[in-house]
């Protein structure tokens, strides 16, 4: 098996796997995971990607839902704030109108104006009052509220506004009996209380309102019936709850006081996610939408836990997780199947390749897998068959060489034996030979020398052919004389055969090396004699076709078996029959003939004649150019 691979490759292939593997790793300088590990890694990456994809998708959906709910909450908040504003605006207008009437009435008409105002405001206000420039009550309805009105006008968020001559809405605070109240006040003039210069002094007309009254309270309740959020509250400029859907919260700081204060101060509407830091809902995330009011420095907030908004999405989580798990299971299943359908056949192929490397060329490579893997196993098996073929051919060449060496030795020894034997015989002093006997011995010695010479010529020619040094020198020559010479020489050697030459008289000249073509014809006639042990006719014939001269040597001997018609031209090939084996020969004659004919640009082949026994060897030669052809008188025909 060594012959198929070089020694180095052979050693590398047979090296234990671990060493080869280590070397491989050193060469690449990093870890190279096997196929199964690579597949597992890829599946892992795939699984992670799916999970990340779902998480990102969910995050996106959650954000969208939070934004949608917040937008909706803000829109409702703004509508509600509009209602509250309308209420406050309405009340402030009533106040302003009454303030204008106060400016034109007398002191005696004032109680009636206050009573009228209280009547108009009905449920909204529970008290109406009038103060002088010093903030002292001038009148009130009910009368006991005068003092409360004076206190209201002194409140820090109220006094500066009144001093600047502007209408004002106070913050919410605790009133009589601890109930919540806030005030609204507008400046007025009191003509019946002139100052030193006789001008009317400033006065303040105000009302006190219970924010938990139905007209106010119902408004915030409406937000809940609209289904947005879980709580709604109106907060004042201090972040204190004016009124709320949870009534008990009124007067307490709003749930997200800092957020409210900030938004009220900057008069901003918008939404935020806020997390209470104390109270029962500490740590819970709330979505808060906030709309500031126009008529008062207040705002309206709609809030609800984020979890409530996300509940429909959360409900989708279990089926979603199940879906992800199912797709992961399918992914892993498919990957396992792929691993099995790829890795197992690849392993078998590795084993097969190792078997081939070890020199086992008989075991078939299993056809496994599909697609490229199947093609790979087929290619590997074709490689095995190719190697097996090459190995067989090499063995055949070895066998032929051995056979050649033994037949060459035999070919050398036989004539040498004759030469030695007859020379020794002739040199013996104790024997007397008559002239006839001496001539016969010398003829045998001469023939044996010829045989030796021809064998050495064959060997030299063959080595020239192997080295590509066989040279021919073609010139225009006539075939007939060459054929006649060959026949004459052969006739000398045999008495059992009749050698005939049939060349047409007008045969044109051919382009040939006279000596070499004589050698070819000589070889062919020699074979014809050797392989026609019973004797019989041998014919050298020639004919002309349009392109070339056609020469054939025919005998009626053993014939060449059908399956050897090609191989007889291979080097060292000798027929396998006992008769051939018993004949002298080296298997070099026909290959030399082929090399010579091909060097002339011709072709040589053997046939079994259709009409009789024996064999024919044909060859072609190129014709000499027209200008080199002599007149018709040169042509001749001879038969011997
Ligand atoms: P050799 O004659 O030295 O064996 P060749 O190359 O001349 O070598 O011939 C090769 C083989 O071809 C022979 O061994 C023989 O079997 C076969 N062969 C050649 N010429 C003939 C022929 N005229 N008739 C029968 N067999 C032949």
């Amino acid at each position: 098996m060594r012959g198929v691979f070089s020694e180095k490759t052979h050693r590398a292939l047979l090296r234990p796997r671990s060493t080869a593997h280590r070397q491989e790793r050193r060469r690449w300088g990093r870890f190279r995971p096997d196929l199964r590990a690579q597949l597992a890694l890829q599946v892992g990456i795939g699984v992670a990607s799916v999970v990340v994809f779902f998480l990102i998708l969910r995050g996106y959906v959650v954000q969208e839902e939070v934004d949608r709910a917040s937008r909706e909450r803000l829109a409702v908040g703004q509508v509600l704030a509009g209602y509250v504003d309308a209420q406050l605006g309405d009340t402030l207008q009533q106040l302003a109108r009454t303030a204008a009437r106060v400016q034109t009435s007398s002191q005696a008409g004032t109680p009636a104006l206050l009573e009228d105002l209280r009547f108009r405001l009905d449920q909204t206000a529970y008290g109406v009052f009038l103060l002088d420039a010093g903030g002292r009550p001038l009148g009130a309805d009910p009368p006991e509220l005068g003092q409360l009105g004076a206190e209201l006008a002194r409140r820090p968020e109220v006094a500066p506004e009144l001093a600047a001559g502007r209408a004002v809405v106070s913050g919410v605070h605790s009133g009589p009996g601890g109930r919540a109240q806030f005030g609204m006040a507008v400046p007025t003039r009191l003509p019946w209380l002139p100052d030193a210069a006789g001008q009317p002094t400033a006065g303040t007309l105000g009302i006190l309102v219970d924010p938990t009254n139905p007209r106010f309270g119902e408004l915030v309740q409406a937000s809940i019936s609209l289904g947005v959020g879980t709580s709604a509250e109106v907060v004042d400029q201090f972040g204190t709850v004016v009124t709320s859907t949870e009534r008990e919260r009124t007067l307490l700081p709003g749930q997200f006081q800092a957020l409210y204060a900030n938004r009220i101060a900057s008069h901003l509407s918008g939404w935020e996610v806020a997390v209470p830091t104390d109270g029962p809902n500490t740590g819970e995330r709330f979505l808060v939408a906030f709309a500031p009011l126009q008529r008062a420095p207040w705002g309206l907030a709609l809030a609800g836990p984020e979890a409530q908004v996300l509940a429909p999405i959360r409900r989708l989580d279990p089926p979603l997780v199940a879906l992800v798990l199912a797709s992961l299971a399918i992914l892993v299943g498919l990957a396992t199947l792929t691993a099995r359908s790829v890795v197992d056949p690849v392993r078998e192929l590795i084993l097969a390749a190792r078997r081939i490397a070890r020199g086992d060329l008989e075991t078939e490579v299993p056809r496994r897998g599909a697609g490229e893997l199947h093609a790979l196993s087929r290619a590997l098996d074709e490689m095995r068959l190719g190697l097996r073929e090459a190995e067989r051919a090499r063995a055949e060449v070895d066998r032929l060489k051995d056979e050649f060496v033994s037949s060459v030795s035999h070919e050398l020894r036989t004539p040498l034996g004759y030469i030695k034997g007859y020379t020794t015989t002739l040199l013996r002093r104790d024997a007397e030979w008559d002239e006839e006997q001496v001539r016969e011995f010398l003829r045998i010695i001469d023939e044996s020398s010829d045989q030796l010479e021809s064998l050495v010529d064959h060997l030299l020619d063959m080595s020239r052919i192997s080295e590509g040094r066989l040279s021919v020198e073609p010139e225009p020559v006539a075939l007939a004389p060459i054929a006649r010479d060959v026949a004459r020489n052969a006739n000398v050697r045999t008495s059992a055969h009749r050698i005939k030459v049939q060349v047409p008289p007008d045969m044109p000249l051919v382009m040939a090396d006279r000596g070499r073509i004589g050698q070819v014809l000589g070889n062919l006639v020699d074979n014809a004699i050797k392989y026609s042990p019973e004797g019989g006719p041998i014919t050298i014939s020639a004919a002309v076709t349009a392109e070339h001269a056609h020469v054939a040597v025919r005998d009626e001997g053993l014939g060449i078996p059908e399956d050897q018609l090609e191989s007889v031209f291979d080097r060292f090939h000798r027929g396998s029959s006992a008769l051939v084996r018993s004949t002298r020969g080296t298997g070099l004659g026909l290959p030399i003939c082929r090399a010579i004919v091909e060097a002339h640009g011709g072709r040589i082949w053997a046939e079994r004649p259709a009409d009789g026994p024996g064999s024919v060897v044909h060859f072609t030669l190129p014709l000499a150019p027209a200008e080199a052809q002599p007149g018709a008188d040169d042509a001749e025909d001879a038969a011997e």
Side-chain angles (χ1 to χ4, degrees), residues 31-321:
F31 175 63
R32 320 198 95 216
D34 66 13
L35 258 181
R36 215 177 272 267
Q38 284 183 36
L39 270 172
L41 188 73
Q42 280 165 13
V43 169
I45 293 172
V47 165
S49 317
V50 170
V51 171
V52 168
F53 171 76
F54 272 105
L55 287 178
I56 291 176
L57 190 71
R58 190 181 176 282
Y60 176 77
V61 171
V62 164
Q63 190 56 48
E64 274 295 292
E65 187 55 24
V66 166
D67 284 356
R68 190 197 56 74
S70 303
R71 265 196 304 276
E72 186 183 298
R73 202 161 285 183
L74 181 66
V76 171
Q78 278 166 340
V79 170
L80 290 177
Y83 277 122
V84 176
D85 258 334
Q87 288 253 319
L88 294 176
D90 209 28
T91 311
L92 282 171
Q93 243 172 23
Q94 300 270 9
L95 266 176
R97 241 179 265 133
T98 307
R101 286 169 69 189
V102 166
Q103 284 181 28
T104 54
S105 78
S106 62
Q107 187 170 16
T110 311
L113 284 177
L114 295 183
E115 193 184 342
D116 177 53
L117 178 63
R118 186 167 171 218
F119 174 74
R120 282 172 193 278
L121 292 177
D122 186 22
Q123 299 170 356
T124 312
Y126 69 84
V128 180
F129 59 86
L130 181 67
L131 305 176
D132 68 8
R136 288 175 295 272
L138 291 174
D141 183 39
E144 65 272 19
L145 283 190
Q147 204 48 48
L148 281 179
E151 279 167 28
L152 182 92
R154 284 199 295 273
R155 286 182 66 83
E157 76 275 21
V158 177
E161 296 296 312
L162 289 176
R166 285 194 288 266
V168 64
V169 179
S170 80
V172 68
H173 52 276
S174 159
R179 72 180 179 182
Q181 69 168 31
F182 69 90
M184 298 168 91
V186 294
T188 182
R189 295 262 154 205
L190 306 171
W192 33 270
L193 265 184
D195 59 8
Q199 293 297 317
T201 53
T204 299
L205 179 68
I207 58 168
L208 288 163
V209 183
D210 175 2
T212 58
N213 77 65
R215 286 187 68 182
F216 241 91
E218 269 165 17
L219 266 175
V220 287
Q221 290 297 340
S223 67
I224 303 306
S225 39
L226 281 172
V228 289
T230 50
S231 75
E233 45 198 27
V234 176
V235 290
D236 69 8
Q237 51 271 70
F238 307 109
T240 309
V241 176
V242 179
T243 180
S244 167
T245 44
E246 296 162 47
R247 280 170 195 243
E248 61 280 8
R249 287 199 65 82
T250 306
L251 280 183
L252 292 177
Q255 210 172 359
F256 306 102
Q257 199 179 9
L259 185 148
Y260 299 155
N262 182 28
R263 291 221 173 247
I264 290 167
S266 45
H267 205 76
L268 275 178
S269 69
W271 69 78
E272 251 167 75
V273 174
V275 183
T277 49
D278 57 4
N281 299 320
T282 307
E284 203 180 336
R285 289 165 63 84
F286 277 80
L287 289 182
V288 188
F290 192 87
L293 299 189
Q294 306 295 323
R295 301 289 182 163
W298 295 356
L300 189 136
L302 284 177
E306 190 187 52
Q308 189 191 40
V309 172
L310 297 181
I313 297 175
R314 295 247 158 84
R315 261 200 306 279
L316 277 180
D317 276 351
L320 209 66
V321 167

Side-chain angles (χ1 to χ4, degrees), residues 498-617:
R498 281 173 300 117
I499 294 142
K500 290 193 287 179
V501 175
Q502 290 176 346
V503 179
D506 54 350
M507 179 82 195
L509 298 187
V510 293
M511 281 304 280
D513 183 318
R514 193 186 303 272
R516 288 297 185 188
I517 291 305
Q519 187 185 348
V520 171
L521 279 174
N523 267 342
L524 297 182
V525 170
D526 217 27
N527 278 353
I529 295 171
K530 275 198 297 185
Y531 302 116
S532 312
E534 309 297 331
I538 294 170
T539 314
I540 305 174
S541 59
V544 186
T545 70
E547 307 96 41
H548 47 238
H550 182 144
V551 188
V553 177
R554 177 174 179 165
D555 64 60
E556 294 184 4
L558 299 177
I560 301 173
E562 191 75 41
D563 59 336
Q564 293 177 22
L565 288 172
E566 287 284 330
S567 56
V568 287
F569 292 97
D570 292 344
R571 283 189 303 168
F572 315 130
H573 177 94
R574 299 220 64 215
S576 47
S577 73
L579 252 167
V580 172
R581 294 280 153 165
S582 65
T583 321
R584 66 184 170 79
T586 53
L588 292 179
L590 288 181
I592 291 173
C593 290
R594 182 168 68 177
I596 294 173
V597 170
E598 285 176 356
H600 280 84
R603 195 167 77 80
I604 188 167
W605 70 100
E607 271 179 12
R608 295 169 66 81
D611 55 349
S615 55
V616 201
V617 180

Side-chain angles (χ1 to χ4, degrees), residues 467-504:
E467 292 166 16
R469 285 194 295 113
L470 183 86
S471 64
V472 293
E473 286 167 16
E475 55 181 336
V477 289
L479 262 178
I482 304 175
R484 274 201 303 270
D485 276 357
V486 170
R488 197 176 304 119
N489 286 340
N491 275 326
V492 174
R493 291 202 301 278
T494 174
S495 52
H497 303 83
R498 281 173 300 117
I499 294 142
K500 290 193 287 179
V501 175
Q502 290 176 346
V503 179

Side-chain angles (χ1 to χ4, degrees), residues 423-433:
T423 318
T424 312
T425 309
L426 280 175
L427 288 175
R428 271 172 59 182
R429 290 175 190 281
D430 57 341
E432 284 283 318
W433 309 107

Side-chain angles (χ1 to χ4, degrees), residues 350-470:
I350 292 171
L351 288 181
R354 289 213 178 103
R355 268 202 313 273
I356 293 174
R358 275 198 305 271
D360 175 2
L361 297 177
E362 297 304 324
T363 317
E364 207 178 311
V365 176
R367 300 288 152 84
R368 290 290 311 273
E372 285 91 341
L373 271 177
H374 192 266
L376 179 63
S377 59
R378 213 173 48 209
L380 201 61
D381 202 44
E382 281 164 9
M383 187 187 87
R384 175 189 69 85
L385 292 175
L387 285 174
R388 194 176 67 179
E389 217 34 59
E391 176 59 9
R392 283 181 183 171
R394 195 188 59 79
E396 176 64 7
V397 168
D398 279 355
R399 191 186 64 74
L400 287 175
K401 268 188 185 158
D402 290 347
E403 212 172 277
F404 169 72
V405 169
S406 84
S407 60
V408 165
S409 328
H410 176 74
E411 289 293 293
L412 281 171
R413 186 160 292 136
T414 314
L416 265 179
Y418 280 126
I419 293 170
K420 175 94 177 111
Y422 284 104
T423 318
T424 312
T425 309
L426 280 175
L427 288 175
R428 271 172 59 182
R429 290 175 190 281
D430 57 341
E432 284 283 318
W433 309 107
D434 59 29
E435 196 191 332
E436 191 63 21
Q437 282 173 312
V438 170
R439 285 194 71 81
E440 177 57 17
F441 292 167
L442 286 176
R443 194 192 58 74
I444 294 172
I445 291 172
D446 182 50
E447 200 175 279
S448 301
S449 310
D450 282 351
Q451 267 181 37
L452 273 183
E453 192 185 7
S454 128
L455 179 65
V456 170
D457 284 348
H458 267 162
L459 291 175
L460 285 176
D461 276 346
M462 205 61 234
S463 91
R464 275 196 208 102
I465 291 168
S466 310
E467 292 166 16
R469 285 194 295 113
L470 183 86

